[in-house]
C-alpha cells in the first residue's frame, strides 16, 4: 500500500519547525531529508526515522518499513516542538547524503 499525499502533508506540517526539509517520492513512498541528510521516510502512512542515539532516546517502537529493510523507529508523537528537537538531535549523527553522479 502506498502512502497518501494527505499523510505526507500531515508529516510535513509536523516537521514545520525543522529547517530545510525535503522529500523524494520513491515507489509510492517518501524519503524524508533534513539539511540534505536522510532522516527517515513515510512508509504505508507511517513516519519512520533512522536509529541514532537521539532517536533511540526519544522513541521506542520499532517497525520494518518494507520486507528486507532494517528496523526503523516509529514517530508516535504529535508535538511539533518535540519532533523538531528529535530531528535536530539526530542530524549530527547522520552521514551527509551522497549525490549520484
Amino acid at each position: 500500500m502506498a502512502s497518501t499525499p494527505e499523510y505526507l502533508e500531515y508529516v510535513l506540517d509536523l516537521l514545520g519547525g525543522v529547517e530545510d526539509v525535503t522529500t523524494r517520492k520513491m515507489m509510492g513512498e517518501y524519503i524524508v531529508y533534513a539539511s540534505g541528510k536522510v532522516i527517515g521516510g513515510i512508509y504505508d502512512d507511517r513516519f519512520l526515522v533512522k536509529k541514532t542515539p537521539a532517536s533511540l532516546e526519544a522513541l521506542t517502537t520499532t517497525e520494518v518499513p518494507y520486507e528486507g529493510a532494517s528496523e526503523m523507529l516509529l514517530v508516535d508523537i504529535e508535538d511539533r516542538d518535540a519532533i523538531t528537537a528529535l530531528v535536530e538531535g539526530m542530524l549530527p549523527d547522520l552521514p551527509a547524503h551522497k549525490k549520484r553522479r
Side-chain angles (χ1 to χ4, degrees):
M1 174 180 110
S3 294
T4 62
E6 294 81 17
Y7 191 76
L8 170 64
E9 290 302 316
Y10 169 73
V11 170
L12 290 176
D13 182 57
L14 287 175
L15 291 167
V18 180
E19 290 186 37
D20 194 25
V21 172
T22 58
T23 61
R24 181 173 180 204
K25 189 170 185 171
M26 295 189 76
M27 296 185 281
E29 307 299 354
Y30 299 91
I31 306 300
V32 180
Y33 300 85
S35 299
K37 296 180 177 185
V38 177
I39 61 165
I42 300 170
Y43 305 93
D44 297 327
D45 285 344
R46 298 171 298 160
F47 180 31
L48 305 176
V49 294
K50 290 185 165 196
K51 289 182 178 180
T52 68
S55 63
L56 287 167
E57 191 174 300
L59 306 169
T60 58
T61 305
T62 59
E63 295 199 12
V64 178
Y66 53 87
E67 189 176 325
S70 299
E71 285 186 339
M72 297 177 80
L73 294 165
L74 175 67
V75 178
D76 54 2
I77 50 180
E78 295 183 10
D79 180 339
R80 195 177 201 189
D81 294 333
I83 291 175
T84 299
L86 168 69
V87 172
E88 289 175 353
M90 290 174 62
L91 287 176
D93 297 321
L94 293 171
H97 179 65
K98 296 178 184 174
K99 295 197 179 208
R100 292 183 180 181
R101 294 183 197 199

